[in-house]
Amino acid sequence: MNFASDNTGPVHPAIMKALADANTGYTPSYGADPLMEEVTARLRDIFEAPEAAVYLVATGTAANCLGLACLTPPTHTIFCSPTAHIHEDECNGPEFYTGGAKLTLVGTEDKMTPDALRNAIGAEGTRGVHGPQRGPVSITQVTERGQVHTLDELKALAAVARDNDLPVHMDGARFGNALVSTNCTPADMTWRLGVDVLSFGGTKNGCMGVEAVILFDPEKAWEFELRRKRGAHLFSKHRYLSAQMAAYLRDDLWRATARQANASMARLTEGLAALPGTRFEFPPDANMTFVNLPRAAVKPLRAAGAQFGIYRGDPEGADPQAEILIRLVTDWSVTPDHIDSFLTVARG
Amino acid sequence: MNFASDNTGPVHPAIMKALADANTGYTPSYGADPLMEEVTARLRDIFEAPEAAVYLVATGTAANCLGLACLTPPTHTIFCSPTAHIHEDECNGPEFYTGGAKLTLVGTEDKMTPDALRNAIGAEGTRGVHGPQRGPVSITQVTERGQVHTLDELKALAAVARDNDLPVHMDGARFGNALVSTNCTPADMTWRLGVDVLSFGGTKNGCMGVEAVILFDPEKAWEFELRRKRGAHLFSKHRYLSAQMAAYLRDDLWRATARQANASMARLTEGLAALPGTRFEFPPDANMTFVNLPRAAVKPLRAAGAQFGIYRGDPEGADPQAEILIRLVTDWSVTPDHIDSFLTVARG
Amino acid sequence: MNFASDNTGPVHPAIMKALADANTGYTPSYGADPLMEEVTARLRDIFEAPEAAVYLVATGTAANCLGLACLTPPTHTIFCSPTAHIHEDECNGPEFYTGGAKLTLVGTEDKMTPDALRNAIGAEGTRGVHGPQRGPVSITQVTERGQVHTLDELKALAAVARDNDLPVHMDGARFGNALVSTNCTPADMTWRLGVDVLSFGGTKNGCMGVEAVILFDPEKAWEFELRRKRGAHLFSKHRYLSAQMAAYLRDDLWRATARQANASMARLTEGLAALPGTRFEFPPDANMTFVNLPRAAVKPLRAAGAQFGIYRGDPEGADPQAEILIRLVTDWSVTPDHIDSFLTVARG
Amino acid sequence: MNFASDNTGPVHPAIMKALADANTGYTPSYGADPLMEEVTARLRDIFEAPEAAVYLVATGTAANCLGLACLTPPTHTIFCSPTAHIHEDECNGPEFYTGGAKLTLVGTEDKMTPDALRNAIGAEGTRGVHGPQRGPVSITQVTERGQVHTLDELKALAAVARDNDLPVHMDGARFGNALVSTNCTPADMTWRLGVDVLSFGGTKNGCMGVEAVILFDPEKAWEFELRRKRGAHLFSKHRYLSAQMAAYLRDDLWRATARQANASMARLTEGLAALPGTRFEFPPDANMTFVNLPRAAVKPLRAAGAQFGIYRGDPEGADPQAEILIRLVTDWSVTPDHIDSFLTVARG
């Protein structure tokens, strides 16, 4: 019963097998391996973007920071949600990689609204040389609270960016989960609506540690390569990044694992919704939910060893009806049994 | 016949097995996994350093840059060999991670000499607030030209650092190869003579992608953790770094693979020494050599598909006696057959 | 009728005379001039801080950025008002000088409240290594909207910082205006209540271009000197910075010019308050006000060549009663005539 | 008898007068003052560069660092002399402002030679993404050892840069001294031979503290403005920078003060050359010399209170014939009397 994160579970067997298969003989290092050619071709194909530049790194933070650094001069600011991973969970990584750019928090909601974005952009553009300059808009899809932007929502945000001549970055650490939830094409969810650079996540969705950065406009490809090397993110034995990503893309494994994770979350939230006192903070669109449960449900779950994050409230307090806000995440490996055991304990 | 680098070969089967073994069930992320406890305990034991702080990252450049950043304020300079990896092959990574510190190249030799180091330190200390301030001394062991410093050489360099109250960093990307060549203890080669921070390499010696950073004085441990996260080098699925390093240390695998790589180099250089016209740039102490071969030997090697780096001279020119400077590296996986085939072709 | 800023007026004659007086013979450069000794002694005396380290730079942004850089590791965040100069008007200077630290905006008001500060600090401290770490609290006194914190307000903010073991920075670009408004001692307004580093402004209050940075705890003095030099803010002909500051401090000129500027603002706001339709955004405590005037007053002022900033509304629109938000600043050189002319035009 | 530097003497009376003249009434801040228009027009005229972008800062280090930052991505390296001010005397300022670029020291001489430059550029371009990338060539004219490059020398260096598609920066902290020594036009010594960005010094040649940065190609003008503001080098009361530079350029004052300083150095070195035991390190082309004098001359000079830098040797030792290497600099204000007194003492 581990719902702590989608990084606590095991690597998908097909990925492990691909690593083992790749482990033979000699191959050029630093990204010149043949498997990387497969990865590039496959991602260009999936995204219908034959010119796109594609690179691999091992962490989502690296993908975000390096991608943003190519879009953001140090005197500029990045517009993002106050709950964005780049703001909350990268320990000033974007500030580091951009050389000191700022992050402007847009509104107070998990999902940026076009109005809030327009206002934020407007407010940042009034001080000439004195204030930070307007830089990229960064959208997190799936958000860090588990919400998936609809295509219309994405288009509206991208339109605001375009109206202001600003590039768009997408943090897609859970891109697969968003895509299968939205049921559109990868191209529709990215460059067709104006995304310039995408962090395409693998780690949270069954890989060991690999993320692709896709630059739909390859103009900054060489700059990206230099920044990746300087940031110490260029792997010498690169084939083991390539092998993971190649297996992840083959036979649509990435969609399958995402579907499985989302389905697990649906089963879990359906069960929780039936519990008296359950209150969801957000509609759980993908594989993560922030949900308030009565303490009477949370306490026995903890006693039974269930793993999850606690965001508000003391689970060990007195009043059994008190709301405890917890985060639940399902990765590809969660089974119906895990979920049903969890629900059984929660029901008391 | 691939002698291009020690990062072109496969991962040792014991490491692969450890990854597979680790791939079960749920485990805390970001370094809180039980295998990391094993790694820390084992490295403290191996280095006879029960207080040391131990961290894992995936690349040697990350290990060097993060370790140096903890020792070097941005207004200071790092003393290193002109052939040091941190100077030549990290695309300004140390400058980036330190926030803009300088690297002062010591002398003109691959191995720094105590005199050259003393002079360099002296020269950097004469301009008060105007010049860069004296920072750490960084020693590469094995050097980037394949030389191993003797214990006495290390002691002499460390003594110069200590006389000037400067900390010492060791780039040990090939620490195992140096250790088995020197035949001393890990403690003797590091903190006992004054090393403060060590990059302890795994990737080049049989791992997939893992390096340990050892802070013998744990005072900067938390700063290191913050810098690692900010640099995007903290792995979410950290158990797969831990598993590699744990297997690498178990049963002294790391010494065994290093011994094997060094023995391969010995066999190779012995064979080459017997060729007329061979001239070694440096004594090959570990698993790498820079050697001049007559073009008459190099040309057929390339024709036969042998892989190696060319550092000086045009292998496809006319004069068969012209010297071509090549680099040969042997990793743990090289077999006597590989070597003998290479020598056979070289002999013509 | 120039109320655009306190940096559009002339330098006080006593400062100009001091520059002329200093312009004789040879003197050591880079801060080793005898006048700097006078400045240090005088500021230590004024602030009752005999150990304080004192440095001069030429711009307020430099004073803030260098002071904050000594208090803020690059993985940390600075707590400040959303209207703080360091956030709005330094083009990412603090991010640059700290090496990429973040600024956390506290609440939504011009003056931070203790509750908002406590909440902001609390929110930043919950993500361990993943989020930015808690760094200094920066208080702007006078605020960028013209408000002066009372001593009690300052104490309450500093207490929150102290409760969380955070240092306190004060942006005192208009320190003199705040002091004469508050009627306390410089020590009371700074180190006695917990300020660690102060930007003590000169430029806006009659100098040509000089600000003092006072480190009440001199521990970081040398680090400051290195950062100042690296930032290119160490003047070779330093005596001309010293001469300005020495004259500014002599005979309490700084208090006199501040009193004069504040008195001008009082005369101006008294006159404006009598106009129908005037609405002040904030109580004008020092020498700056943000005030809404009916368009019928603003339009003729502009036609008459009066200089001031327009912050909201179109002064050239139709409805004569529409509110236009303007900023008015009085420096030491403004005369009653200037003010009365302005009021006459505004009255229509 | 102060020959310590050209920053220890007074400001030229014409500059002081211009400051006093500028000190009247109100004027827009941050560079929008009318005097700045005069400066821009005048410098474009002097340099025959009607499109050039012109900016003022207060220190030579700021001019160099900001100019170089516009030419140098953080993954690149700057080629310069080992004696360059940007390397020796800016406390890692260029590394800071570029975001962590490297400086590659060219050869071992004070003046770079074309061969040494070609070799250095060649050596830096062989490691692809692993090594720093080739960035600008920075030439110091006058060098930090007092040498003036001839036009032919400059052309030869610039040609090497151009052959490698690298931009050229010139540190002209003593540009005036070089120009009157070379007797060519400002355009000939800069953009006509390939200089892209020039630091045009004022401070050392009679100003209080002002340097112009001239971007002959204005494409990076806005980037420069942002970097200047972010670096805290944009003056609010900018008219006092403009006034200095305007007066400096009016009636060719800058050439007159440079001529005077150079003439003083000629008188001084002529006198020294007649002393037995004098040995010049370099031909003194402008207003600075590094010269070895016998201790028997140095000792009484120090006793008489003469100010100058000592670079090698202990002036208070025993052997009267021992060589002491000293630096002598003459600014515009040195009189024949100063020089003759110095020579008289030196003669014993």
Side-chain angles (χ1 to χ4, degrees):
Chain A
M1 296 194 295
N2 192 306
F3 301 100
S5 180
D6 32 15
N7 58 37
T8 56
V11 173
H12 192 280
I15 308 283
M16 289 305 289
K17 181 171 181 307
L19 286 169
D21 289 350
N23 196 42
T24 173
Y26 297 88
T27 200
S29 39
Y30 298 117
D33 53 292
L35 279 168
M36 186 60 204
E37 288 178 39
E38 177 186 334
V39 166
T40 301
R42 192 79 189 89
L43 278 170
R44 285 175 173 168
D45 195 46
I46 288 171
F47 280 88
E48 305 170 55
E51 309 287 323
V54 175
Y55 298 107
L56 301 182
V57 293
T59 71
T61 297
N64 285 337
C65 290
L66 291 167
L68 283 167
C70 288
L71 297 176
T72 321
T75 48
H76 285 47
T77 191
I78 298 162
F79 297 93
C80 67
S81 159
T83 60
H85 196 270
I86 59 170
H87 172 61
E88 289 209 317
D89 282 306
E90 302 190 352
C91 196
N92 298 352
E95 288 88 347
F96 178 41
Y97 276 88
T98 57
K102 194 185 278 289
L103 273 64
T104 295
L105 306 185
V106 174
T108 58
E109 305 294 317
D110 176 46
K111 279 187 185 176
M112 294 188 284
T113 65
D115 276 351
L117 179 57
R118 202 174 291 116
N119 289 342
I121 292 173
E124 285 296 2
T126 59
R127 291 184 301 275
V129 83
H130 300 281
Q133 306 298 300
R134 298 155 168 173
V137 175
S138 179
I139 304 172
T140 314
Q141 173 78 320
V142 182
T143 74
E144 292 293 309
R145 297 297 178 267
Q147 298 192 87
V148 176
H149 294 85
T150 65
L151 263 194
D152 282 346
E153 287 172 338
L154 292 176
K155 280 177 191 167
L157 291 172
V160 176
R162 194 182 50 237
D163 289 348
N164 289 281
D165 287 323
L166 304 181
V168 177
H169 168 262
M170 181 176 279
D171 175 356
R174 295 184 178 93
F175 188 86
N177 303 285
L179 192 81
V180 299
S181 168
T182 306
N183 202 17
C184 64
T185 71
D188 283 344
M189 204 159 89
T190 55
W191 63 266
R192 277 219 186 94
L193 57 82
V195 171
D196 296 278
V197 174
L198 170 69
S199 299
F200 176 80
T203 312
K204 289 179 191 293
N205 193 25
C207 295
M208 183 180 280
V210 69
E211 313 277 312
V213 180
I214 304 179
L215 312 173
F216 292 105
D217 175 348
E219 194 203 343
K220 303 251 183 166
W222 179 237
E223 179 181 338
F224 184 93
E225 292 196 44
L226 292 172
R227 288 186 179 275
R228 178 175 59 167
K229 173 64 197 177
R230 180 176 77 127
H233 289 287
L234 176 58
F235 270 48
S236 58
K237 297 188 174 175
H238 188 280
R239 63 167 125 174
Y240 302 101
L241 292 184
S242 307
Q244 292 181 64
M245 184 54 72
Y248 184 59
L249 299 176
R250 255 176 238 147
D251 306 321
D252 274 346
L253 175 63
W254 66 290
R255 296 191 205 237
T257 47
R259 255 185 226 110
Q260 199 164 341
N262 287 9
S264 291
M265 182 48 62
R267 183 186 189 103
L268 181 60
T269 50
E270 204 179 290
L272 290 174
L275 281 180
T278 293
R279 191 169 59 86
F280 292 97
E281 293 272 315
F282 303 100
D285 298 328
N287 68 324
M288 176 161 53
T289 190
F290 281 71
V291 60
N292 295 277
L293 296 184
R295 184 180 283 137
V298 175
K299 220 166 165 173
L301 283 167
R302 280 165 52 95
Q307 299 291 314
F308 49 83
I310 292 173
Y311 279 69
R312 201 169 48 226
D314 172 8
E316 303 304 328
D319 174 8
Q321 295 317 316
E323 278 192 343
I324 309 295
L325 175 60
I326 66 172
R327 185 183 87 155
L328 301 169
V329 194
T330 49
D331 82 342
W332 69 274
S333 73
V334 169
T335 62
D337 270 6
H338 292 149
I339 296 167
D340 297 344
S341 303
F342 185 92
L343 291 172
T344 302
V345 177
R347 277 181 211 117
Chain B
M1 295 192 296
N2 193 305
F3 301 101
S5 180
D6 32 15
N7 57 37
T8 56
V11 173
H12 192 279
I15 308 283
M16 289 305 288
K17 181 171 181 308
L19 286 170
D21 289 349
N23 196 42
T24 173
Y26 296 89
T27 200
S29 39
Y30 298 117
D33 52 291
L35 278 168
M36 185 60 206
E37 285 178 41
E38 177 186 334
V39 166
T40 300
R42 192 78 189 91
L43 278 170
R44 285 174 172 168
D45 194 47
I46 288 171
F47 279 88
E48 305 170 56
E51 307 288 324
V54 174
Y55 298 107
L56 300 183
V57 292
T59 72
T61 298
N64 285 338
C65 290
L66 290 167
L68 283 167
C70 289
L71 297 176
T72 321
T75 48
H76 285 48
T77 191
I78 298 162
F79 297 93
C80 67
S81 159
T83 60
H85 195 270
I86 58 170
H87 172 61
E88 290 208 319
D89 283 307
E90 302 189 352
C91 195
N92 298 351
E95 288 87 347
F96 178 42
Y97 276 89
T98 57
K102 196 185 276 291
L103 273 63
T104 296
L105 305 185
V106 174
T108 57
E109 304 294 317
D110 176 47
K111 279 186 184 175
M112 295 187 284
T113 65
D115 276 353
L117 179 58
R118 201 175 290 114
N119 289 344
I121 292 172
E124 285 296 2
T126 59
R127 291 184 301 275
V129 82
H130 299 281
Q133 306 299 300
R134 297 155 167 170
V137 175
S138 179
I139 304 172
T140 314
Q141 174 78 322
V142 182
T143 75
E144 292 293 308
R145 297 297 177 267
Q147 299 192 88
V148 176
H149 294 87
T150 65
L151 262 194
D152 282 348
E153 286 171 338
L154 293 175
K155 280 178 189 164
L157 291 172
V160 176
R162 194 180 51 237
D163 289 350
N164 289 281
D165 289 322
L166 303 181
V168 177
H169 167 262
M170 180 175 280
D171 176 356
R174 295 185 178 92
F175 189 85
N177 303 286
L179 193 81
V180 300
S181 167
T182 308
N183 202 15
C184 65
T185 71
D188 282 346
M189 205 159 87
T190 56
W191 64 264
R192 277 219 187 92
L193 58 81
V195 172
D196 295 278
V197 174
L198 171 68
S199 298
F200 176 80
T203 313
K204 290 178 190 293
N205 193 26
C207 295
M208 181 180 282
V210 68
E211 314 278 310
V213 180
I214 304 178
L215 312 174
F216 292 107
D217 175 348
E219 193 202 345
K220 302 250 183 166
W222 180 237
E223 179 181 338
F224 184 93
E225 292 196 43
L226 292 172
R227 289 185 178 274
R228 178 176 58 167
K229 172 67 198 175
R230 181 175 76 125
H233 290 288
L234 177 58
F235 270 49
S236 57
K237 297 189 173 172
H238 188 280
R239 63 168 125 171
Y240 302 100
L241 292 184
S242 307
Q244 291 180 63
M245 185 53 73
Y248 184 61
L249 299 176
R250 257 176 235 144
D251 306 321
D252 274 346
L253 175 62
W254 66 290
R255 298 192 203 238
T257 48
R259 255 186 225 108
Q260 200 164 339
N262 288 8
S264 291
M265 182 49 61
R267 184 185 188 102
L268 181 60
T269 51
E270 205 179 290
L272 290 174
L275 282 180
T278 293
R279 190 171 60 85
F280 292 97
E281 293 272 315
F282 304 100
D285 297 331
N287 69 323
M288 176 161 52
T289 190
F290 281 71
V291 60
N292 297 278
L293 297 184
R295 184 179 282 139
V298 174
K299 223 166 162 171
L301 282 167
R302 279 164 53 94
Q307 299 291 314
F308 48 83
I310 292 173
Y311 279 69
R312 202 170 46 228
D314 172 7
E316 302 305 324
D319 175 7
Q321 296 316 314
E323 277 192 342
I324 309 295
L325 175 59
I326 67 172
R327 185 184 88 153
L328 300 169
V329 194
T330 49
D331 82 341
W332 69 274
S333 73
V334 168
T335 62
D337 269 6
H338 292 149
I339 296 166
D340 296 344
S341 304
F342 186 93
L343 292 171
T344 302
V345 178
R347 275 181 211 115
Chain C
M1 297 194 294
N2 192 306
F3 302 101
S5 179
D6 32 14
N7 58 37
T8 57
V11 173
H12 193 279
I15 308 282
M16 289 305 289
K17 182 172 180 308
L19 286 170
D21 289 349
N23 195 44
T24 174
Y26 297 88
T27 200
S29 39
Y30 298 116
D33 53 291
L35 279 168
M36 185 59 204
E37 287 178 39
E38 179 186 334
V39 166
T40 300
R42 192 78 189 90
L43 278 170
R44 285 174 172 169
D45 195 46
I46 287 170
F47 280 88
E48 305 170 57
E51 308 288 324
V54 174
Y55 299 107
L56 300 182
V57 292
T59 71
T61 297
N64 285 338
C65 290
L66 290 167
L68 283 167
C70 289
L71 298 176
T72 321
T75 47
H76 286 47
T77 190
I78 299 162
F79 297 93
C80 67
S81 159
T83 60
H85 196 270
I86 59 170
H87 172 61
E88 289 209 318
D89 282 307
E90 302 189 351
C91 195
N92 299 351
E95 288 87 347
F96 178 41
Y97 275 88
T98 56
K102 195 185 279 289
L103 273 63
T104 296
L105 305 186
V106 174
T108 57
E109 304 294 317
D110 176 47
K111 279 186 183 175
M112 294 187 285
T113 66
D115 277 351
L117 179 58
R118 201 174 291 113
N119 289 343
I121 293 172
E124 285 295 3
T126 58
R127 291 184 301 275
V129 83
H130 300 281
Q133 306 298 301
R134 297 156 168 171
V137 175
S138 179
I139 304 172
T140 314
Q141 174 79 320
V142 182
T143 74
E144 293 293 309
R145 297 298 178 265
Q147 298 192 88
V148 176
H149 295 86
T150 65
L151 262 194
D152 283 346
E153 287 172 337
L154 292 176
K155 280 178 190 165
L157 291 172
V160 176
R162 194 181 51 238
D163 290 348
N164 289 280
D165 288 322
L166 304 181
V168 178
H169 167 263
M170 181 175 280
D171 176 355
R174 294 185 178 93
F175 188 86
N177 302 287
L179 193 81
V180 300
S181 167
T182 307
N183 202 16
C184 66
T185 71
D188 283 344
M189 205 159 88
T190 56
W191 64 265
R192 277 218 187 93
L193 57 83
V195 172
D196 296 278
V197 174
L198 171 68
S199 298
F200 176 81
T203 312
K204 290 179 191 292
N205 193 26
C207 294
M208 181 180 282
V210 69
E211 313 278 311
V213 180
I214 304 179
L215 311 174
F216 293 106
D217 176 349
E219 193 202 344
K220 302 253 182 163
W222 180 235
E223 178 181 337
F224 184 93
E225 292 196 43
L226 292 171
R227 288 186 178 273
R228 178 176 58 167
K229 173 65 199 174
R230 180 175 78 125
H233 289 288
L234 176 58
F235 270 48
S236 57
K237 296 188 174 174
H238 188 280
R239 64 167 123 172
Y240 302 101
L241 292 184
S242 307
Q244 291 180 64
M245 185 53 73
Y248 183 62
L249 300 175
R250 256 176 237 145
D251 306 323
D252 275 345
L253 174 62
W254 65 291
R255 298 191 203 238
T257 48
R259 255 186 225 110
Q260 200 164 338
N262 289 8
S264 291
M265 182 49 62
R267 184 187 189 101
L268 180 61
T269 51
E270 205 179 291
L272 289 174
L275 281 180
T278 293
R279 191 170 60 85
F280 292 96
E281 293 272 314
F282 304 99
D285 298 329
N287 68 323
M288 175 160 53
T289 190
F290 281 71
V291 59
N292 297 278
L293 296 185
R295 185 180 281 140
V298 175
K299 222 165 165 175
L301 283 166
R302 280 163 54 94
Q307 300 291 315
F308 48 84
I310 292 173
Y311 279 69
R312 201 170 47 226
D314 172 7
E316 302 304 325
D319 174 8
Q321 297 315 315
E323 278 193 343
I324 309 296
L325 174 60
I326 67 172
R327 185 184 87 155
L328 301 169
V329 194
T330 49
D331 82 341
W332 70 273
S333 74
V334 168
T335 63
D337 270 6
H338 292 149
I339 296 165
D340 297 343
S341 303
F342 186 92
L343 291 171
T344 302
V345 177
R347 275 180 213 118
Chain D
M1 296 194 296
N2 191 305
F3 301 101
S5 179
D6 31 15
N7 57 37
T8 57
V11 173
H12 193 280
I15 307 283
M16 290 304 289
K17 183 172 180 309
L19 286 170
D21 289 350
N23 195 44
T24 175
Y26 297 87
T27 201
S29 38
Y30 298 117
D33 53 290
L35 278 167
M36 185 60 204
E37 287 177 39
E38 177 185 335
V39 166
T40 301
R42 192 81 189 90
L43 278 170
R44 285 174 173 169
D45 194 47
I46 287 171
F47 279 88
E48 305 170 54
E51 308 289 324
V54 175
Y55 298 106
L56 300 182
V57 293
T59 71
T61 297
N64 285 337
C65 290
L66 290 167
L68 283 166
C70 289
L71 298 176
T72 321
T75 47
H76 285 48
T77 191
I78 298 162
F79 298 92
C80 68
S81 158
T83 61
H85 196 270
I86 59 169
H87 173 61
E88 290 208 316
D89 282 307
E90 302 189 351
C91 196
N92 298 352
E95 288 87 348
F96 178 41
Y97 276 88
T98 57
K102 195 184 277 291
L103 274 64
T104 296
L105 306 185
V106 174
T108 58
E109 303 295 316
D110 176 45
K111 278 187 186 175
M112 294 187 283
T113 65
D115 277 351
L117 179 57
R118 201 174 290 116
N119 290 342
I121 292 173
E124 285 296 1
T126 59
R127 290 184 301 276
V129 83
H130 300 281
Q133 306 299 300
R134 297 154 168 174
V137 175
S138 179
I139 305 172
T140 314
Q141 174 78 322
V142 182
T143 75
E144 292 294 309
R145 298 296 178 266
Q147 298 191 87
V148 176
H149 295 86
T150 65
L151 263 194
D152 283 346
E153 287 172 337
L154 292 176
K155 281 178 190 165
L157 291 172
V160 176
R162 194 181 49 238
D163 290 348
N164 289 280
D165 288 321
L166 304 181
V168 178
H169 168 261
M170 180 175 280
D171 176 357
R174 295 185 179 92
F175 188 86
N177 303 284
L179 192 82
V180 301
S181 168
T182 307
N183 202 17
C184 64
T185 70
D188 283 345
M189 205 158 89
T190 55
W191 63 266
R192 278 219 186 92
L193 58 81
V195 171
D196 295 279
V197 175
L198 170 69
S199 298
F200 176 81
T203 313
K204 290 179 189 295
N205 194 26
C207 295
M208 183 181 280
V210 69
E211 313 279 311
V213 180
I214 304 178
L215 312 173
F216 293 106
D217 175 350
E219 193 202 342
K220 302 250 183 167
W222 179 237
E223 178 181 338
F224 184 93
E225 292 196 44
L226 291 172
R227 288 186 179 275
R228 177 176 60 168
K229 172 65 198 177
R230 181 175 77 127
H233 289 288
L234 175 58
F235 270 49
S236 57
K237 297 188 174 173
H238 188 280
R239 63 168 127 174
Y240 303 101
L241 293 184
S242 307
Q244 291 180 64
M245 185 55 72
Y248 183 61
L249 300 175
R250 256 177 237 147
D251 307 321
D252 274 346
L253 174 62
W254 66 290
R255 297 190 203 239
T257 49
R259 254 185 227 109
Q260 199 163 339
N262 288 9
S264 291
M265 182 48 63
R267 184 186 188 103
L268 181 60
T269 51
E270 203 179 290
L272 290 174
L275 282 180
T278 292
R279 190 170 60 86
F280 292 98
E281 293 272 315
F282 303 99
D285 297 328
N287 69 324
M288 176 160 54
T289 190
F290 281 72
V291 60
N292 296 279
L293 297 184
R295 184 180 282 139
V298 174
K299 221 167 165 172
L301 281 166
R302 280 164 52 94
Q307 299 292 314
F308 49 83
I310 293 171
Y311 279 69
R312 201 169 49 227
D314 172 8
E316 302 304 327
D319 174 7
Q321 295 316 316
E323 277 191 343
I324 309 296
L325 174 61
I326 68 173
R327 184 184 88 154
L328 300 169
V329 194
T330 49
D331 83 342
W332 69 274
S333 74
V334 168
T335 63
D337 269 6
H338 291 149
I339 296 166
D340 297 343
S341 303
F342 185 92
L343 292 171
T344 303
V345 177
R347 276 181 210 116

